[in-house]
Each structure stands twice: as C-alpha cells, then as structure tokens.
Amino acid sequence: MDITGKQLELVNGRIKALIEAGSFYGKKLREAGISSVSTPEEFRRLPFSDKKDLREAYPLGLMSVPEERIVRIHSSSGTTGVPVIIPYTAKDVDDWAEMFKRCYETAGITAKDRIQITPGYGLWTAGIGFQYGAEKLGAMAIPMGPGNTEKQLQFMQDMGSTVICSTSSYALLLAEEIQKRGIRDNIKLRKGVIGSERWGPKMRETISNGLGIQLYDIYGLTEIYGPGIGISCDENDGIHYWDDYIYLEIVDPSTGEVLPDGQWGEVVITTLLKEGAPLIRYRTHDLSRIIPGKCRCGRCYPRIDTVTGRTDDMMKIKGVNVFPAQIEEILRDFPEVSSEYQIRISHLDGKDTMRLYVETNGTVDFVDLSKRIASTVKSRIGFTPLVKVVENGVLPRSEKKTARVIDERYD
Ligand code: ZN
C-alpha cells in the first residue's frame, strides 16, 4: 500500500523534527542530504532504523523535543541487557490512549464495561496502555496487574468484570482455574483483549470456550507507543491498524525491499505524529503481511495478518525466503491434513532440500496428496519441497511454531 500524500506530509513534519533534534536518525538524514520526501519512491529510499540504533541512544538520545515537554518514559528490556528508553510528550500519551480507545471500540467494548487489567504496570507499556484507553473510553478500569490469581478471581466475581485484558497464557490459566473451582456461573466476562504472545487457534478456542467470551488480538510494541496500534475485529480476519497514526510496510527481511500487499515479510513502522521519539521505517522483526482488500466488517482501516513469528524464523531455501506461516497458510487450503506439520531442511549433494511432513487419515491417497501440496508450494513460494504424508498422530505436538522447523544444514 503506497504512502498517501497526507501521510507523506506528516512524515515530513517528523523528518524536520528529527533533523532539528540531531538524534541518531536526524544525523542519518543530514548525512544523506535528505530534508523531505515528496513521493512514495523517495519515502522507500529513506534509511531504516533498528533496535540497535535505539539501544545506542541510551539513555535519552531519542528525545526529539525540549525536555520540559517530556512527561513520561517507558522502556523495553530486550535480552541483550541495554534497555531502550522511549520518551513521551503529553500529546503522545493522549494519542496512544485515543488509539487504545479505538481498539476497545473495535472490540465492541463500551463505557458500560468493567475492564480487568492483568498485564504489568511499570516501566513497560502494557498495563498503563490498557488503563488509559479504558479511561478514555469511559469504562471502569480495574487495575489488577499481573499474578495473584486468587484475588483476580475474587475481584472478577465481586466487581462483575465484563472484559479481561491479559496475555494468552494467563487467560488460559484463568479459564482452567474457573473451571476447576466451578465458578463459571459467577463470571460475567463477555470479551477478552489478548496481547503480546503468539497463540494458535487451538489455544484460542480453549480460552474462548473456557471463559465463554469473544477474543480480540491486540498489537503493538513499546518502541511505537505500546499495545494499541491495532486490533482484530468481530470478523477475526487480521488486525486493523490505525493508519492515521502509523504507516506500515512489509519488507523482505534479507534485502529490505518493500513487498507487495499479501506477501509475508517483516513489519516496518513509521510513526506519523509521535513527538517524543518519532521513528522512521523502524524494523520490528515481526513477521506478517498486509491483507489485501476490505474487511467484511466494513472498516476502512487496513489490516495485517496475525503476527506469526519473528523474522529470525525465516528460512532461506534455494535462495527463496520461506516462513513457517506461509507453509501453514498453504496447508490450510488442504482440509484433509491435520493442523500439525514439520519442516526439515537439509543440504544434500550441494542443494538445499525441504522435507515437509504432513498428517492425514488412512482414507486419503498419500501419493496424490503429496504431489498436490508440493505443486502448490512450488507455485506460491517458488520451489518444490519433498512432501511426506504420514498417519494422523505421528508428528510431535507443540504449541510453538519454531519447534516445527528443524534445520539440519548446520548440524
Ligand atoms: Zn474488520
């Protein structure tokens, strides 16, 4: 989806602020002699920013307004030790709450709801994002924070919470505890806003049935405000994101080239309005695709697919980038195979080979099925895998997608 004229205008405002502030990106632009962009092509030539740049700016190098305008910082930890600090102006905080309010509204949540918030409060953006959005909406926030399941369940019943905000694993735990205690009849929950983790359709169904609620996927990352920059709708067909606040591209993770709508790649985000720490073409390392066409719900906000992993999951086979999510998508078109699969990549006789194991029941012609899957992979991704069909129940079960890919090339 090309960047619009209106979005370009906003980007130019951010470029100006970054150059004036002289932060890492401002310096990059100055070195490249760029002071504005006027076409989608020019925009696509802007340099990327990455988490490494943000770490190097520690502690306050990202600050792009005079300090008296900063009202808060948040931080994402990361695994390497040096945290990333994101400064927010009052307007940034308000914009974030506005986006979050829109998320709640998209999920059909109203001022009459009582929203129990279980993500953590503190340096990171989770709990407080859910909180400000709920207040902006006019709903009643119940700021529990994480853990203490006993108290969570007590409040859930006594306060008559109608919405639960949590990670998928905590929602699953709550569903199990509620069932164990036989208190389902005392629970008034009707919706769940679930963020921050990958989860499969099976887990989704268990939570949804266990709590008797409708679930929505919320998307976001601390570097770009926090959770709340997008959410799934009742159609449960991808995540609407707010293109009046962010511009989103999908790029090939190895070449950085922008990919056409529909193709899987890395999510790259540009903030259009952020003041405290604007980011241009920030590489999230999240893996998704833009879903072409309009959503059945009628909303005009564009959609990305559920984030199915990190770009680190990418496999390069015979020079072609492949993601587990692409294989899954193809397998979904074959109703005769189960949801389990395994990918093994090896290097034989100087060539990369992908073996794809799928399961089906005994009534299906294995040879014919394997040929049909192989030719679909060839036509959609560009190489032919060796497809091995096995009986249902033979493959190991795992909730984690990455465990399904075994790369034997570097053993
Ligand atoms: Zn929709």
Side-chain angles (χ1 to χ4, degrees):
M1 204 171 304
D2 270 352
I3 190 162
T4 64
K6 174 96 176 38
Q7 287 170 323
L8 275 176
E9 215 172 281
L10 294 170
V11 168
N12 283 328
R14 297 305 80 208
I15 285 177
K16 192 161 172 271
L18 284 162
I19 292 173
E20 275 166 17
S23 63
F24 82 92
Y25 201 88
K27 281 183 200 138
K28 267 192 199 180
L29 289 170
R30 198 171 291 180
E31 277 162 21
I34 299 168
S35 55
S36 68
V37 283
S38 49
T39 62
E41 294 70 37
E42 277 180 38
F43 176 80
R44 281 197 287 271
R45 283 200 293 272
L46 287 174
F48 289 115
S49 37
D50 208 330
K51 192 136 185 174
K52 184 173 151 283
D53 302 314
L54 274 51
R55 275 198 207 101
E56 281 169 3
Y58 183 86
L60 283 169
L62 293 178
M63 196 160 66
S64 300
V65 293
E67 189 184 327
E68 56 268 31
R69 294 199 46 217
I70 298 298
V71 298
R72 189 201 287 174
I73 61 126
H74 280 292
S75 166
S76 74
S77 49
T79 43
T80 54
V82 182
V84 166
I85 304 288
I86 307 288
Y88 294 66
T89 65
K91 180 174 184 297
D92 293 336
V93 168
D94 195 59
D95 284 351
W96 181 22
E98 196 58 52
M99 281 188 277
F100 219 121
K101 174 181 172 233
R102 200 185 283 169
C103 287
Y104 283 132
E105 286 167 344
T106 303
I109 296 164
T110 73
K112 285 185 182 154
D113 277 296
R114 300 177 181 183
I115 305 180
Q116 185 158 339
I117 300 164
T118 74
Y121 285 74
L123 268 178
W124 58 321
T125 48
I128 203 162
F130 284 96
Q131 172 88 23
Y132 268 58
E135 289 175 3
K136 192 94 176 173
L137 180 69
M140 185 196 294
I142 306 170
M144 302 296 292
N148 202 344
T149 301
E150 206 62 49
K151 199 168 183 179
Q152 299 278 4
L153 294 176
Q154 193 62 51
F155 267 69
M156 197 181 281
Q157 296 175 81
D158 296 348
M159 299 304 301
S161 309
T162 56
V163 176
I164 181 83
C165 303
S166 82
T167 61
S168 53
S169 50
Y170 197 58
L172 184 66
L173 185 138
L174 287 172
E176 284 165 356
E177 287 300 317
I178 285 167
Q179 191 162 20
K180 224 185 275 174
R181 289 155 206 241
I183 52 171
R184 169 88 185 261
D185 287 349
N186 304 339
I187 303 292
K188 301 210 165 51
L189 291 180
R190 59 184 200 97
K191 310 248 177 197
V193 180
I194 309 293
S196 86
E197 283 171 325
R198 287 181 252 165
W199 50 325
K202 223 182 285 170
M203 186 167 179
R204 186 186 193 95
E205 207 180 294
T206 312
I207 298 169
S208 172
N209 294 340
L211 294 171
I213 59 177
Q214 206 168 352
L215 298 171
Y216 301 86
D217 284 308
I218 195 154
Y219 178 62
L221 53 162
T222 299
E223 296 90 321
I224 315 283
Y225 296 97
I229 59 174
I231 194 167
S232 60
C233 65
D234 281 342
E235 298 295 333
N236 191 22
D237 185 17
I239 292 169
H240 288 281
Y241 63 89
W242 315 133
D243 62 348
D244 43 352
Y245 290 88
I246 58 168
Y247 177 67
L248 191 148
E249 304 163 270
I250 301 292
V251 307
D252 180 320
S254 51
T255 64
E257 204 182 308
V258 177
L259 296 172
D261 291 356
Q263 285 195 26
W264 288 92
E266 179 175 355
V267 175
V268 170
I269 298 177
T270 297
T271 64
L272 300 175
L273 297 168
K274 215 153 179 266
E275 298 177 333
L279 286 176
I280 307 273
R281 305 197 81 204
Y282 180 67
R283 300 189 69 149
T284 66
H285 295 271
D286 283 337
L287 198 58
S288 188
R289 64 180 188 121
I290 288 174
I291 300 178
K294 217 174 155 188
C295 185
R296 286 186 301 271
C297 75
R299 283 181 185 83
C300 295
Y301 295 109
R303 288 172 298 157
I304 52 168
D305 215 319
T306 312
V307 173
T308 48
R310 305 278 297 164
T311 47
D312 320 327
D313 303 340
M314 186 175 89
M315 308 166 269
K316 204 163 184 117
I317 296 161
K318 296 179 184 170
V320 180
N321 296 334
V322 189
F323 308 103
Q326 289 175 293
I327 300 291
E328 246 168 72
E329 201 189 45
I330 288 172
L331 292 179
R332 269 204 294 270
D333 289 345
F334 290 86
E336 57 272 56
V337 304
S338 80
S339 60
E340 301 300 322
Y341 66 92
Q342 196 179 73
I343 294 167
R344 284 180 176 265
I345 307 157
S346 46
H347 196 74
L348 290 172
D349 308 323
K351 279 194 307 195
D352 292 334
T353 312
M354 180 199 267
R355 275 169 294 153
L356 172 60
Y357 291 86
V358 298
E359 287 184 341
T360 190
N361 68 49
T363 64
V364 173
D365 180 343
F366 281 21
V367 178
D368 172 63
L369 177 62
S370 115
K371 272 190 201 150
R372 281 187 290 132
I373 293 176
S375 78
T376 311
V377 173
K378 168 75 179 162
S379 72
R380 289 212 215 149
I381 307 181
F383 70 94
T384 310
L386 288 168
V387 180
K388 310 267 187 189
V389 183
V390 298
E391 290 274 351
N392 274 334
V394 167
L395 296 175
R397 265 51 189 161
S398 171
E399 277 290 333
K400 271 175 73 186
K401 284 198 175 69
T402 44
R404 293 177 173 163
V405 180
I406 298 159
D407 197 333
E408 294 163 336
R409 285 178 294 189
Y410 310 108
D411 282 354

